[in-house]
Amino acid sequence: MDNRADDLEKKIDKRKTRKKRSEDQSAVESVFDMETRKTIYELYNRKILEEIEFVISTGKEANVYYAIGPEDEDLAVKIYRIKTAEPRFMWPYIIGDPRFKKIRHKTRDLIFAWAEKEYKNLNRAKSANVRVPTPIAVRKNILVMEFIGTDGNPAPLLKDCELSNPQKTFNTLLEYVKLLFQKARLIHADLSEFNVLFMDEPVIIDISQGVILDHPHAREFLIRDLKNLLRFFSNYEIEIPNLQQAYSYVTGWDIDES
Ligand SMILES: Nc1ncnc2c1ncn2[C@@H]1O[C@H](COP(=O)(O)OP(=O)(O)OP(=O)(O)O)[C@@H](O)[C@H]1O
Ligand SMILES: [Mg+2]
């Protein structure tokens, strides 16, 4: 068999295994409200999505699905619920952000702004060389991004990993916090072992609540992120800085003077 036929065969096999694992597509889609369904069809028509296969995670504000794209590529699709349980918690992360000055005080608009914020933050992080899922598209409450995992299996969360080189992983993550701060001018604001996937290297996810540096709570959020990182890695016998040192490394400022 020549290479192309071989490739085609592999593609078909991949699809068959996926089909076996996935639920009936209409069953997956029937859990969405009308407006979300319309948006999904728009994404199908614009050739961004081919099929939504199955749910990977059901969170408080959003569900994440494994999907495939028109080129048979793996995708992750994060769908924020329009009727989310707790939209109010989102406001403190949106206020003071000049990118979202004009949004109206309606839950629906807030959710759309929230999805867009995650998309923009992912782009900024990626431009600063921080490893995050590459954002592909955002439309209303739906964010399409690179899938981190293999053959439909999402990569494990940092909290569930046996790290072979924890020192290297810690150093990389601290470097990412620094790049986010210095280059992307962003603070993740929910960084922990629950929002880092591990596939050969750490991949930071879930950055919708990320804030820009002149946000009124930026400093507080950064300190919280750093504390989480230091706490998690203190379980390993590796060299880690204290909070003051980590803060200075990331910001270039003294923790008391900033
Ligand atoms: N790009 C991706 N590739 C693979 N899996 C992903 C991707 N993004 C998210 N996931 C999976 O979905 C889960 C939830 O994603 P995320 O943390 O972004 O959403 P969330 O709404 O904050 O969920 P939670 O409330 O559980 O934190 C992740 O823990 C991860 O397992
Ligand atoms: Mg999360």
Side-chain angles (χ1 to χ4, degrees):
M1 210 178 337
D2 69 29
N3 273 350
R4 275 174 56 198
D6 207 14
D7 280 354
L8 189 64
E9 197 80 348
K10 271 193 205 138
K11 228 170 154 176
I12 293 169
D13 278 352
K14 205 169 153 193
R15 224 162 232 252
K16 273 196 209 144
T17 2
R18 273 178 184 152
K19 270 279 171 241
K20 259 189 253 150
R21 291 186 41 192
S22 69
E23 301 165 35
D24 171 29
Q25 222 196 129
S26 58
V28 175
E29 280 163 25
S30 66
V31 303
F32 303 125
D33 59 78
M34 264 309 272
E35 185 166 16
T36 302
R37 270 206 312 251
K38 262 171 75 181
T39 312
I40 292 172
Y41 284 114
E42 263 179 69
L43 292 167
Y44 287 160
N45 288 335
R46 283 167 57 199
K47 305 261 177 292
I48 291 168
L49 280 183
E50 174 84 24
E51 268 178 31
I52 294 187
E53 299 274 340
F54 50 82
V55 70
I56 302 171
S57 147
T58 50
K60 256 201 329 242
E61 280 74 37
N63 291 353
V64 177
Y65 296 85
Y66 168 70
I68 49 177
E71 302 290 318
D72 206 38
E73 68 275 34
D74 295 335
L75 296 171
V77 179
K78 190 167 180 177
I79 305 189
Y80 286 94
R81 271 189 289 287
I82 294 182
K83 289 190 175 60
T84 177
E86 268 302 334
R88 264 176 314 155
F89 99 93
M90 294 176 176
W91 276 113
Y93 296 90
I94 295 249
I95 46 148
D97 190 327
R99 295 174 298 173
F100 299 96
K101 255 188 198 150
K102 287 200 192 119
I103 76 153
R104 289 176 299 163
H105 281 233
K106 276 168 66 183
T107 302
R108 196 172 157 277
D109 293 346
L110 180 59
I111 304 301
F112 297 170
W114 196 250
E116 196 185 327
K117 186 148 106 86
E118 178 146 33
Y119 178 85
K120 287 187 169 162
N121 287 349
L122 285 171
N123 255 331
R124 271 169 88 143
K126 192 178 156 72
S127 308
N129 290 323
V130 173
R131 180 71 176 105
V132 292
T134 303
I136 294 166
V138 66
R139 181 92 191 118
K140 293 189 175 169
N141 55 328
I142 303 182
L143 167 69
V144 182
M145 62 186 145
E146 177 195 358
F147 176 77
I148 309 296
T150 33
D151 297 332
N153 300 307
L157 289 172
L158 181 61
K159 75 171 181 73
D160 299 320
C161 281
E162 293 239 355
L163 295 174
S164 59
N165 191 342
Q167 182 76 60
K168 186 170 170 216
T169 307
F170 171 77
N171 294 350
T172 305
L173 281 169
L174 192 61
E175 180 69 19
Y176 286 166
V177 178
K178 182 177 182 170
L179 288 171
L180 275 180
F181 187 95
Q182 308 253 346
K183 284 203 171 164
R185 317 294 289 163
L186 273 182
I187 286 158
H188 185 289
D190 192 19
L191 189 64
S192 77
E193 62 276 24
F194 290 85
N195 280 331
V196 175
L197 297 177
F198 194 89
M199 197 171 68
D200 307 320
E201 54 171 359
V203 184
I204 294 181
I205 61 163
D206 200 5
I207 197 168
S208 52
Q209 70 296 313
V211 298
I212 52 175
L213 298 194
D214 49 13
H215 185 279
H217 299 294
R219 181 175 184 277
E220 186 188 313
F221 291 153
L222 173 61
I223 291 176
R224 189 174 66 190
D225 283 355
L226 288 173
K227 278 186 177 163
N228 282 340
L229 207 59
L230 297 175
R231 175 195 37 74
F232 179 75
F233 281 94
S234 67
N235 299 323
Y236 291 95
E237 285 182 10
I238 59 168
E239 269 183 48
I240 49 171
N242 63 28
L243 181 63
Q244 282 77 4
Q245 292 164 331
Y247 185 89
S248 305
Y249 174 74
V250 166
T251 62
W253 304 326
D254 210 69
I255 199 163
D256 304 314
E257 287 165 14
S258 53

